Amino acid sequence: MKKVVLSALLFSATVSAQAQGLPVYLDESKPVEERINDALSRMTLDEKIAVIHAQSKFSSPGVKRLGFPDLWTDDGPHGVRPDVLWDEWQQAGQSNDSCVAFPALTCLAATWNTQLSRLYGESLGEEALYRKKSVILGPGVNIYRTPLGGRNFEYMGEDPFLASRMVVPYVQGLQSKGVAACVKHYALNNDEEYRHQVNVIVSDRALHEIYLPAFKAAVTEGKAWSIMGAYNLYKNQHNCQNAILLNKILKHDWGFDGVVISDWGGCHDTDEAVMNGLDLEFGTWTDGLTMGRTNAYDSYHLAVAYKEAIQAGKYTTKELDEKVRRVLRLFYRTTMQREKPYGFLCSESHYDAALKIAQEGIVLLKNDPVKKGQSPLLPLDLSKTKRILVVGENAIKMMTVGGGSSSLKAQKEILPIDGITSRLSSVAIDYARGYVGDTIRSFDGVTVGRNLYDTRSVAELTAEAVEKARQADVVIFFGGLNKSSYQDSEGHDRKDYGMPYGQNELVESLLAVNKNLVFVNISGNGVAMPWIQKVPAVVQGWFVGSEAGEAIASVLCGDVNPSGKLPFTWYASLGQCGAHALDTYPGTWRADHDIIDEEYKEGIYVGYRWTDKQKIRPLFAFGHGLSYTTFKMDKPVADKQQMTADEKITFTINVTNTGNRAGAETVQLYISDKKASVDRPVKELKAFKKVFLQPGESQQVSLTVGCDALSFYDESKSQWTAEPGQFEALIGTASDRITGKCTFEFK
Ligand code: BGC
């Protein structure tokens, strides 16, 4: 015993002696802010300038002399991007940078399951750690404003509340591994076309009620360590150097203490970058136009130009020190954090997470019987199904390659055709291509597994598919979009809302010979479905990554009971969307053709807020998603009839699984302000909960809201306000399926 005490004493004496010898910035017993100040005081001007801009496509330097390692960032939201060459987008050709491709964020949002969001962040964080990346360039939470948006698939849908609830656990999960989230693209980056030139004109109310909440939640609740400025402009200033968005709202109002990173090439001006809140510059196109120039990092706006301006007395080091302080804070949170767990790449647990998220995010949009009196077409009745025809390019096309910066080098991607073939070994599976869409074989040097080159004519492709469909019991069509340019991909929006490559005509031709048609739509956006009345079953299959084929097959066969709910309104036509109805997209070019002004004339009326107001019936409503079982929702009960600003109100509802399969239902609570001094949406999502129920099982679901759920952004006071009066809580299982109401008064 004596011996133990003695050695403990000796140990602590040695540790404190060592600590005494350590400079403060390395002394882990000291508060981080003290360590930051100490490090800052030791840094030279050159070292300070070096840490605030890139040194390669994805890295920025640490401070070698003081022992701070370089900082490595990497895309993206859905998996860790393969390493690229030092100065080029082309992949470096490493053999250890394959990854698990997680479902794209629209699919994650469609799970309405915050625990899965946490799991997503944690799993991605472990992959990033293994790959020695300290900042993951994601998640993206730009609002789905128009279904043409090329990057909607990377985001979390149209509703600020849903996106907020889903982004927070993602950020927390990722950062629990010592890897920083870089929430993007802040803000108002809602379309891709002309993304560097769009000047968004939006009301303060829409900015605060629709476009900012998910960023705010990521920062104030998720405590995101970094955020990425967007390419576009707001109030005539690029968002990576935007005084209002960065200095005022993000840093002052929300108290953000992390690093503002420019989107790659989003910084355009030294003065604005210095003064308006940018901290770390990446990807600047050094000829000022569109081309990079090898090793041109000294020409960055926050490099030599900034240093020389300081030396010339144009700026003091006040702004510089503030930027460096933030970067050092990021170092302490990531590269300098010694408590980090180990990373894992392509582990079984990551594949399990990807599969689970995919299975819970897939949405059963429609499921009718083919003939009256029969069961719905899905799940497939394997006792009667002997021959299945799989049609469509999306059954054989890898979707993890392409789409822009979120493109991955997945260690494995189970294609739909393979998922179905391996799940249905007792069924004869035939395949017909049906149409040819995208035959590009690689993206940034990552090659897709299969050569999709096909020279057959439309007539030949159709004839083959129709002939085979005639012989089949069931036809499963995998179509939709495909992440090629203009089809759900960065850099451009879609040109129109229709299904590309003659898929509609093909659907009609197939229906003429076989009515047992399941359409599995692969996309991150809604698409027009002119044949919807005739196709009995439609499944939204998203871009679900490594486990795509397995996840989709498990839903089609009923191994998994679908429970995904749409995170956006699925319009029947483009005209049903406010932005298009008011002809606001893509905006109006100024005379010099340099800037395009896009006025968000629909204001807060985005998605279901617009369709509710205009009494439009979309193809599928926000929050819609079917199940193979049925649920009974009892009358909701409120715990009070009146509430004050300091109180909360709870609504309880009994939900019962009345079918004969286990399943999950998402109870959604929308608030409606009955009378207000300003125009308010018919209803707004303010709480939700997903419950898993065995057949016959019931559960009480309680949803609580506070006064913030009753508030609107009052432009005259620049603050959130809840006005006294009558409110209604509308509770249901979709925005167009409200099953119960409670009225209450706010005093
Ligand atoms: C994209 C970002 C991405 C960055 C780095 C940009 O073009 O907008 O989302 O993180 O490139 O790849």
Side-chain angles (χ1 to χ4, degrees), residues 355-395:
L355 179 62
K356 178 108 187 64
I357 294 159
Q359 287 170 330
E360 270 201 37
I362 290 169
V363 184
L364 180 60
L365 291 172
K366 178 176 179 192
N367 193 20
D368 285 349
V370 176
K371 285 198 195 114
K372 269 211 174 104
Q374 286 180 345
S375 306
L377 184 54
L378 293 176
L380 297 171
D381 181 348
L382 298 179
S383 66
K384 294 198 192 120
T385 312
K386 301 286 166 245
R387 297 160 75 96
I388 289 180
L389 173 68
V390 174
V391 179
E393 185 175 284
N394 285 353

Side-chain angles (χ1 to χ4, degrees), residues 55-59 72-75 81-94 97 264 283-286 290-297 300 443-445:
Q55 63 172 359
S56 75
K57 270 266 175 280
F58 283 101
S59 76
W72 280 88
T73 72
D74 206 0
D75 286 301
R81 180 181 179 150
D83 288 337
V84 299
L85 296 172
W86 191 259
D87 277 316
E88 304 297 334
W89 292 111
Q90 192 70 5
Q91 66 144 337
Q94 318 275 29
D97 61 352
W264 272 230
T284 300
W285 294 325
T286 50
T290 52
M291 300 297 291
R293 200 190 321 135
T294 294
N295 280 322
Y297 301 96
Y300 275 34
F443 186 88
D444 281 349

